[in-house]
Amino acid sequence: MADAATAKEKKDLLLSHGAHEIRNPVAVILGYVRILTSERTGQLTEMQHKVLNDVAASTAKLAVLAEEMSFLARLMAGSTPFARTRVELSALIAAEIPSVGPGLERHVAISVIDNAPAAAVSGDTQRLGETFNSLMFAQRRELFTCDELCVAIDRVPGNEPTVRVTIGGADRIDDLRRLPPSELIPLVELRGGVGYKLTIARHVIEAHGGQVFSRTEAGDTPRSVLNIGAVVVLPLA
């Protein structure tokens, strides 16, 4: 147990240190880009402006990644406080939809199927909002079979009632909602283009007493795997 705790401590420290090491050069690069694009050091051509804007955009993504690493390190260390209130999931998810995936090339409509009106959990509104935003964003990026993403909210009866939130394409959402836990696996977190968002999402959901699952399919290459839907199970308040 002591060895496991030490390994976890080292992993948390590695993430935190890595975030700090990325953050410093990123700030320097963005500072120089701002100086150049302001043309204080000389006039730029249209192509030079374009190149510098691309540099700034890519560097900004590194800054976001550093922040995610830092936040993940705090989550894993258990040092992130959660301000818990009563959170109605349908309203929370609906509020996040407009900000899911802005700027992505293909338009995808997002709709909510609410079969658990007023289903509420005890949780941190901001953190849960960010988590469902990340899950919808990731599923939106992997949606290839239709142009509508659905979020279904269902109550799960039992001795300790829970709510199940299923996120997937409109053409598959009904099948995903019917899948028993035995046919689901943990969500594949390492996805290109989403940074540490899915790992953070899992930690936040687990901190709220829940779990995150998925069903997967093989991708275009032998090593690639697609998350065909995401399923979040949370205890009801």
Side-chain angles (χ1 to χ4, degrees):
M1 291 294 291
D3 288 344
T6 301
K8 181 181 179 302
E9 210 173 287
K10 287 182 178 179
K11 186 162 62 173
D12 297 346
L13 183 61
L14 183 64
L15 270 173
S16 180
H17 180 72
H20 178 74
E21 290 297 312
I22 292 173
R23 193 180 288 118
N24 286 343
V26 160
V28 172
I29 294 169
L30 287 174
Y32 280 124
V33 167
R34 280 193 290 269
I35 290 172
L36 291 170
T37 54
S38 70
E39 298 190 333
R40 280 183 282 170
T41 58
Q43 191 170 359
L44 301 176
T45 66
E46 184 178 342
M47 178 56 71
Q48 287 171 329
H49 270 292
K50 182 183 182 307
V51 169
L52 287 170
N53 287 337
D54 288 346
V55 170
S58 293
T59 309
K61 290 179 182 178
L62 284 176
V64 170
L65 187 63
E67 288 305 315
E68 289 175 356
M69 290 172 67
S70 180
F71 181 53
L72 181 58
R74 295 196 300 275
L75 271 176
M76 294 172 69
S79 59
T80 300
F82 291 95
R84 294 181 185 271
T85 59
R86 181 181 173 85
V87 182
E88 289 196 4
L89 288 178
S90 181
L92 176 83
I93 291 167
E96 291 296 329
I97 287 175
S99 62
V100 175
L104 294 180
E105 290 180 6
R106 186 167 64 95
H107 173 73
V108 171
I110 304 177
S111 60
V112 177
I113 303 170
D114 189 1
N115 286 318
V121 300
S122 174
D124 188 304
T125 301
Q126 178 184 346
R127 299 305 182 198
L128 284 174
E130 293 168 349
T131 292
F132 282 106
N133 192 302
S134 296
L135 291 169
M136 287 188 287
F137 174 75
Q139 286 304 303
R140 186 214 183 287
R141 293 183 78 253
E142 297 191 13
L143 190 64
F144 302 110
T145 56
C146 70
D147 289 324
E148 182 179 2
L149 185 71
C150 287
V151 184
I153 305 172
D154 297 289
R155 287 179 184 268
V156 181
N159 294 332
E160 296 182 3
T162 58
V163 62
R164 172 168 165 158
V165 180
T166 307
I167 306 170
D171 58 338
R172 302 189 181 198
I173 193 70
D174 290 335
D175 290 337
L176 289 168
R177 289 166 69 191
R178 285 193 289 264
L179 283 177
S182 60
E183 294 185 31
L184 297 170
I185 64 170
L187 188 75
V188 178
E189 298 171 8
L190 299 180
R191 315 301 301 152
V194 298
Y196 288 96
K197 285 182 173 61
L198 294 181
T199 304
I200 290 171
R202 173 175 62 81
H203 278 277
V204 170
I205 292 298
E206 289 177 354
H208 285 77
Q211 293 176 285
V212 186
F213 302 100
S214 182
R215 186 172 73 79
T216 62
E217 288 183 359
D220 296 330
T221 62
R223 291 189 178 183
S224 68
V225 175
L226 296 176
N227 286 312
I228 306 301
V231 178
V232 177
V233 180
L234 284 166
L236 286 166

